[in-house]
Amino acid sequence: MKKDVNITIDFAGLKLASPVFTASGTCGYADELADFMDINALGGFITKSITLLPRKGNPTPRVVETDAGMLNAIGLANIGLEQFIKEKIPLLEKMSAAIFVNVAGQKIEEYVQVTAELAKQPAIAGFELNISCPNVAKGGVHFGTDPAGVRRITEEVKKAAADKVLMVKLTPSVTDISVIAEAAVAGGADALSLVNTFTAMAIDTEKRRCVLANRTGGLSGPAIKPMAIYLVNKVYNEVTKKSGIPILGLGGIKNASDAIEFMLAGASAVALGTYNFIQPARAIEIVDGIGEYCRRNGFDNVHQLTGALE
Amino acid sequence: MKKDLVQRKKGVFAARIISNHQFKGRFCRMSLELAGLGAEAFETVTPGQFAEFDLTCASLPSPEDVPVELRDAIERKILLRRPFSFSDVRIEDGRAIIDVLYAVVGAATVRMAGLKPGDEISVLGPLGNGFTIPVKKKLAILLAGGMGAPPIQHLAKVLAAGFKNIEVVTFAGAKSSDDMPFAVSDKNTAIGPAEFPDYGLEMLIATDDGSTGYKGLVTECFRQWLQTCEHKADDTIVFCCGPEAMLASAAKLCEAEGIECQVSMERRMACGTGLCQGCAVECGTGNSGQSVYQMCCKDGPVFDSKEVIFDL
């Protein structure tokens, strides 16, 4: 890449090498993806959800392909806070990308306890508050659909981790996403990430049963991209543009063109999710592709793309 | 299963189709060739390992060439890679040649069947752990059920070529002769399906309907055979790949007899690399009564049968 385009960005006070993240739940704890690419070229890396205690997750089938997408119902399977600190932090410490830990729980106190403990770790740049997981019986998306609840959980977690960046991940499965975004900002969110998966279902017609053991799952992949772009643009125009809060845009991105669509719609950075499964080095190719686009279109700084929709 | 001590190279490689043909009913055989780094990565493949193929670029056949029951399914736009084990991997002139045996059953394999020699696809692999061959055993029993045959064929070849001190007996089962993913000799005998690689190994066939070989389940055929077997349980190992009910049945039998047994599991996978956590296999943790989910793609697909809590 030529030096003429600046692809570094400022994201809620963090200086990032590029505007490309890998999305929570699609990139493990970093060691899995390191087999395929130089993860240091990433702007940010978001871990799989961490809960206070280890979680086995849901029974199988947990994944199924649908038209231009897939459903997952993993159920926040993770190794738990203690083992995460012991085993994974040493790996994450070596990475130059900004590390965000996705935090989930069943009660506000659990979110607070996990973030307070992890806030002591210098390797962690920030948190992504998962109040939008559709695949668990308690917590998850239930936190993310009530504006007063969103504001309260954001405030409580921010208090527990005041010197880290707090990003709140929004569910698209609400009547008006801007109301929820507004509540997160009022609660002290430093950034918003949107969107999480859409709650969805697939049925095996021969067995007349849901394909997923959990019955419902979260839809991701190219199928959701146009909806995700619309929601990013809506939140950008109605909430974040005036407050200067950055958006991490995600939902069905597979290449640099998709990433640029999100940025033009109002995202300051983007995250690659489902496509990590198909092309595990794609996130880095997107970094190059965005730089190339900027050069071709006369942008000397990648942040100029944010909200540049005519 | 012990973690493999050797750190293998894996990656995303271009593979060129050498041949691809339907040889019996819905069953097809494809050979692919990898050069350079891909050849290096696949040179050390262990039977039971697998790769993820990107078939999104393969085009759909015309509707009249598609079985009626698949005509709706194939219209779905596919996205994810598909996992395939190998029936053989060999090195020729510095290139890795991979043989894949597959059945046309859905949107991806319909496209796969249309690939022509010279076409290229993206292959991610090699993935998973593969079977572990304990050198001190004197008898290896191989059990293949239905489409579980390919990695067992690969294992049979490796055992026959490199482990002369281990006697090998193979069992293959299916619902009927038509469901055997290889041609079966028309003599209707228990020995010698023409296309199961002839590695000079003893071979027994079982079909549920008795259309070829023993009439009944392959595990029942194996159980009866075991009664006549003169090897000690400690000197014996069983390797299985097939439907979960068959694996569970083999595991139960082996546990009762005190025989070590490795099973190759199958799960729906999105990535094959441990990223998505989709392909969970429930495993016990010693005597605690607790269980954990291990990943079929990364911790498996081969597990010690005593660890697995089968999903029946």
Coordinates of all heavy atoms in Angstrom, one line a residue, chain B residues 20-29 65 67 102 104 113:
Chain B
N20 N -13.6 -36.0 -12.1 CA -14.8 -35.9 -11.3 C -15.9 -36.7 -12.0 O -16.3 -36.3 -13.1 CB -15.1 -34.5 -11.1 CG -16.3 -34.2 -10.2 OD1 -16.5 -35.1 -9.3 ND2 -16.9 -33.1 -10.3
H21 N -16.3 -37.8 -11.5 CA -17.4 -38.5 -12.2 C -18.3 -39.2 -11.2 O -17.9 -39.6 -10.1 CB -16.8 -39.5 -13.2 CG -15.9 -40.5 -12.6 ND1 -14.6 -40.3 -12.3 CD2 -16.2 -41.8 -12.2 CE1 -14.1 -41.4 -11.8 NE2 -15.0 -42.3 -11.7
Q22 N -19.5 -39.4 -11.7 CA -20.5 -40.1 -10.9 C -20.3 -41.6 -11.3 O -20.3 -41.9 -12.5 CB -21.9 -39.6 -11.4 CG -23.0 -39.8 -10.3 CD -24.0 -38.6 -10.5 OE1 -23.8 -37.6 -11.2 NE2 -25.1 -38.8 -9.7
F23 N -20.2 -42.5 -10.3 CA -19.9 -43.8 -10.7 C -20.9 -44.8 -10.3 O -21.0 -46.0 -10.7 CB -18.5 -44.3 -10.1 CG -18.4 -44.3 -8.6 CD1 -18.7 -45.5 -7.9 CD2 -18.1 -43.2 -7.9 CE1 -18.7 -45.5 -6.5 CE2 -18.0 -43.2 -6.5 CZ -18.3 -44.4 -5.8
K24 N -21.9 -44.4 -9.4 CA -22.9 -45.3 -9.0 C -24.0 -44.5 -8.3 O -23.7 -43.9 -7.3 CB -22.3 -46.3 -8.0 CG -23.3 -47.3 -7.4 CD -22.7 -48.1 -6.3 CE -23.7 -48.9 -5.6 NZ -23.1 -49.7 -4.5
G25 N -25.2 -44.5 -8.8 CA -26.3 -43.8 -8.2 C -25.9 -42.3 -7.9 O -25.4 -41.6 -8.8
R26 N -26.0 -41.9 -6.6 CA -25.7 -40.5 -6.3 C -24.2 -40.4 -5.9 O -23.8 -39.3 -5.4 CB -26.6 -40.0 -5.2 CG -26.5 -40.8 -3.9 CD -27.5 -40.4 -2.9 NE -27.3 -40.9 -1.6 CZ -27.7 -42.1 -1.2 NH1 -28.3 -42.9 -2.0 NH2 -27.4 -42.6 0.0
F27 N -23.4 -41.4 -6.0 CA -22.0 -41.4 -5.5 C -21.1 -40.9 -6.6 O -21.1 -41.4 -7.7 CB -21.6 -42.7 -5.0 CG -22.5 -43.2 -3.8 CD1 -23.3 -44.3 -3.9 CD2 -22.4 -42.5 -2.6 CE1 -24.1 -44.7 -2.9 CE2 -23.2 -42.9 -1.5 CZ -24.1 -44.0 -1.7
C28 N -20.2 -40.0 -6.2 CA -19.2 -39.5 -7.1 C -17.8 -39.6 -6.5 O -17.6 -39.6 -5.3 CB -19.4 -38.0 -7.4 SG -21.1 -37.6 -8.0
R29 N -16.8 -39.6 -7.4 CA -15.4 -39.6 -7.0 C -14.7 -38.4 -7.7 O -14.9 -38.2 -8.9 CB -14.8 -40.9 -7.3 CG -13.3 -40.9 -6.9 CD -12.7 -42.3 -7.0 NE -13.2 -43.2 -6.0 CZ -13.8 -44.3 -6.3 NH1 -14.0 -44.7 -7.6 NH2 -14.2 -45.2 -5.4
D65 N -31.1 -32.2 -15.2 CA -30.0 -33.1 -14.7 C -30.0 -33.2 -13.2 O -29.1 -33.8 -12.6 CB -28.6 -32.6 -15.2 CG -28.5 -32.7 -16.7 OD1 -29.2 -33.6 -17.3 OD2 -27.7 -31.9 -17.3
P67 N -31.8 -34.5 -9.6 CA -32.9 -35.3 -9.1 C -34.1 -34.5 -8.6 O -33.9 -33.4 -8.0 CB -32.2 -36.0 -7.9 CG -30.7 -35.9 -8.2 CD -30.5 -34.7 -9.0
Y102 N -17.9 -38.6 -2.6 CA -19.0 -37.9 -2.1 C -20.3 -38.3 -2.7 O -20.4 -38.9 -3.7 CB -18.8 -36.4 -2.3 CG -18.7 -35.9 -3.7 CD1 -19.9 -35.3 -4.3 CD2 -17.6 -36.0 -4.5 CE1 -19.8 -34.8 -5.6 CE2 -17.5 -35.6 -5.8 CZ -18.7 -35.0 -6.3 OH -18.6 -34.5 -7.6
V104 N -24.2 -36.9 -3.9 CA -24.9 -35.7 -4.3 C -26.2 -35.7 -3.5 O -27.1 -36.5 -3.7 CB -25.2 -35.7 -5.8 CG1 -26.1 -34.5 -6.2 CG2 -23.9 -35.6 -6.6
A113 N -20.7 -31.8 -8.3 CA -20.8 -32.8 -9.4 C -20.6 -32.2 -10.8 O -20.2 -32.9 -11.7 CB -22.1 -33.6 -9.3

